[in-house]
Amino acid sequence: QVQLVESGGALVQAGGSLTLTCAASGSISSINTMAWYRQAPEKQRELVALITSGGSTNYANSVKGRFTISRDNAKNTVYLQMNSLKPEDTAVYYCNADVRSWPTSKNYWGQGTQVTVSS
């Protein structure tokens, strides 16, 4: 079994910064794409950013230039550096990963971490 554990969510003022961390543990052979999603109250969950095993990244238009996703493959960990935070960034942020536990692959979600940006 594999677990994803997020940390780093907090209450922050608009214009501030936060770094979210997601660590994967368990029976892991390798991890392909890792991603961050978010879900605001009464809204659908949306992709914020993703990073492939090779380091290619993709971002939602709403966070381009403000957020940076990175990963440490040796630690099975993905990060989301969030700068210039806005009230509309307020949401529960979820980590997602495609994990290979030989011989199968499975998609996993973390439990979520709350980010609140005050105006």
Side-chain angles (χ1 to χ4, degrees):
Q1 186 69 333
V2 173
Q3 289 185 327
L4 302 181
V5 178
E6 302 108 331
S7 61
L11 170 64
V12 63
Q13 288 190 333
S17 297
L18 280 177
T19 299
L20 304 183
T21 300
C22 171
S25 62
S27 179
I28 299 171
S29 299
S30 62
I31 303 179
N32 297 321
T33 299
M34 304 185 81
W36 288 96
Y37 287 75
R38 68 186 180 187
Q39 187 166 18
E42 301 182 359
K43 291 190 176 181
Q44 288 189 331
R45 191 172 296 190
E46 63 174 358
L47 176 66
V48 176
L50 65 82
I51 183 167
T52 67
S53 57
S56 296
T57 58
N58 195 20
Y59 296 91
N61 287 335
S62 59
V63 307
K64 280 182 181 177
R66 300 188 298 122
F67 291 10
T68 302
I69 189 170
S70 61
R71 63 190 286 173
D72 184 333
N73 291 330
K75 295 182 179 179
N76 292 327
T77 298
V78 63
Y79 308 94
L80 185 68
Q81 173 67 44
M82 304 185 293
N83 298 326
S84 302
L85 283 161
K86 304 175 181 180
E88 51 264 43
D89 294 319
T90 296
V92 177
Y93 284 70
Y94 297 91
C95 177
N96 179 271
D98 290 322
V99 179
R100 182 168 178 82
S101 302
W102 193 89
T104 62
S105 292
K106 186 176 178 181
N107 186 262
Y108 291 90
W109 289 93
Q111 82 287 352
T113 186
Q114 178 71 47
V115 172
T116 302
V117 184
S118 63
S119 57

